[in-house]
Amino acid sequence: MFRSPRRPGRARAGRTRRTDHPDGRGRLAAARRGPQAETVAADYDYSDLTALYVNCTLKRSPETSNTEGLIDRSRTVMEAAGARTSLIRAVDHDIATGVWPDMTEHGWESDQWPVIYSQVMDADILVLCGPIWLGDNSSVMKQVIERLYACSSILNAHGQYAYYGRVGGALITGNEDGVKHCAMNVLYSLQHLGYAIPPQADAGWIGEAGPGPSYLDPGSGGPENDFTNRNTAFMSWNLMHLAALLKRSGGIPAHGNQRSQWDAGCRFDFPNPEHR
């Protein structure tokens, strides 16, 4: 599951499941939508990109996840542009609690995070997705962010932090207030760890205030909501646009941001009274 050939140019390359488009570029999907969509697909061929969605629902498979319903909308947009996407439901995996890359080295009997981390590192785009509970992100979302943080000090081949050159986004669902609050927390966390965040890098859906239908429930209006659909489309395209710009230009320039050089004494013109 979640497998693809190794790709060059990564400090810690991982694996990700390919989508099932017959030609790998989404042209069949574009053709089904008509000539205009096919032209757009030709103009924006993102078949060199991979995107990983991490669903931080509290529900184990095969229970229906409303968050996954919105994830599917974004994946469809990316796959139509040729990008390869994969999905992990974090709660299905034995992820240990902690802030070290491998918690089996710190007293835990098992930890599947190192395997997931390899998939994170194989992706040009990471989208963290989850539900709102008590106005905040789920406990699973917080755990995933903590484990991403645990690996953030690993350096890439240029001496930068591991996540440099990758792009991050957020999808949030629920039937209580908190979409923007949750997205704000996720996007801040991702950029702090080294991910680049494009404009309009989040989307979400909430129902009426108080107990009510969830995104995929009949009559919820979620899948038809124009505001949510517009933001999901904008987010998906902006993630691909920025990821392509970074990947095709060699990532974030490696100057002034290399931890390896800083540790060696280089200060990149930053005032250093100890070295005159």
Side-chain angles (χ1 to χ4, degrees):
M1 197 172 185
F2 312 124
R3 294 182 179 273
S4 73
R6 284 191 177 273
R7 299 163 54 241
R10 296 297 193 201
R12 289 277 305 275
R15 298 174 182 269
T16 179
R17 175 177 59 81
R18 289 182 180 273
T19 57
D20 56 0
H21 286 304
D23 59 3
R25 294 179 179 270
R27 289 174 181 158
L28 178 60
R32 287 172 177 166
R33 291 191 300 277
Q36 183 177 7
E38 192 168 11
T39 301
V40 170
D43 290 341
Y44 297 99
D45 179 4
Y46 289 143
S47 57
D48 58 334
L49 298 181
T50 57
L52 174 65
Y53 293 78
V54 180
N55 185 357
C56 296
T57 177
L58 302 183
K59 302 172 182 175
R60 285 188 169 183
S61 299
E63 190 173 355
T64 298
S65 165
N66 291 283
T67 300
E68 191 166 328
L70 187 55
I71 290 171
D72 288 343
R73 291 297 183 93
S74 178
R75 292 182 74 184
T76 297
V77 173
M78 290 201 188
E79 290 174 0
R84 293 172 290 159
T85 75
S86 57
L87 172 64
I88 294 173
R89 190 180 292 203
V91 76
D92 288 343
H93 301 269
D94 181 17
I95 302 174
T97 300
V99 288
W100 295 97
D102 186 348
M103 292 306 299
T104 62
E105 299 175 359
H106 297 271
W108 288 75
E109 292 186 3
S110 63
D111 184 12
Q112 292 183 357
W113 176 257
V115 176
I116 295 173
Y117 174 71
S118 70
Q119 297 173 55
V120 169
M121 296 305 291
D122 193 42
D124 304 299
I125 300 167
L126 176 66
V127 188
L128 298 185
C129 320
I132 304 167
W133 289 109
L134 295 175
D136 209 342
N137 285 302
S138 72
S139 57
V140 177
M141 175 73 82
K142 292 176 181 296
Q143 182 188 39
V144 167
I145 290 174
E146 287 171 350
R147 297 309 302 276
L148 287 168
Y149 176 66
C151 299
S152 63
S153 63
I154 297 171
L155 304 183
N156 65 19
H158 304 293
Q160 301 166 309
Y161 289 120
Y163 304 126
Y164 271 48
R166 295 170 173 79
V167 174
L171 285 173
I172 307 296
T173 62
N175 55 13
E176 56 182 273
D177 194 16
V179 168
K180 292 182 179 179
H181 169 78
C182 292
M184 175 179 65
N185 178 266
V186 171
L187 296 180
Y188 167 79
S189 299
L190 288 174
Q191 67 80 30
H192 185 75
L193 301 182
Y195 278 90
I197 308 298
Q200 192 63 57
D202 65 286
W205 180 86
I206 52 172
E208 295 181 2
S214 297
Y215 181 77
L216 291 177
D217 289 344
S220 72
E224 297 79 36
N225 187 279
D226 185 69
F227 181 79
T228 295
N229 290 340
R230 183 193 71 192
N231 286 350
T232 301
F234 284 13
M235 179 205 76
S236 303
W237 278 106
N238 286 342
L239 289 171
M240 290 189 289
H241 291 326
L242 184 55
L245 287 171
L246 288 172
K247 185 171 186 176
R248 296 168 187 177
S249 63
I252 301 289
H255 179 76
N257 54 25
Q258 296 162 288
R259 173 64 185 270
S260 60
Q261 293 298 308
W262 184 275
D263 290 345
C266 180
R267 290 297 179 262
F268 310 108
D269 298 324
F270 186 84
N272 185 6
E274 296 180 2
H275 294 81
R276 296 183 183 276

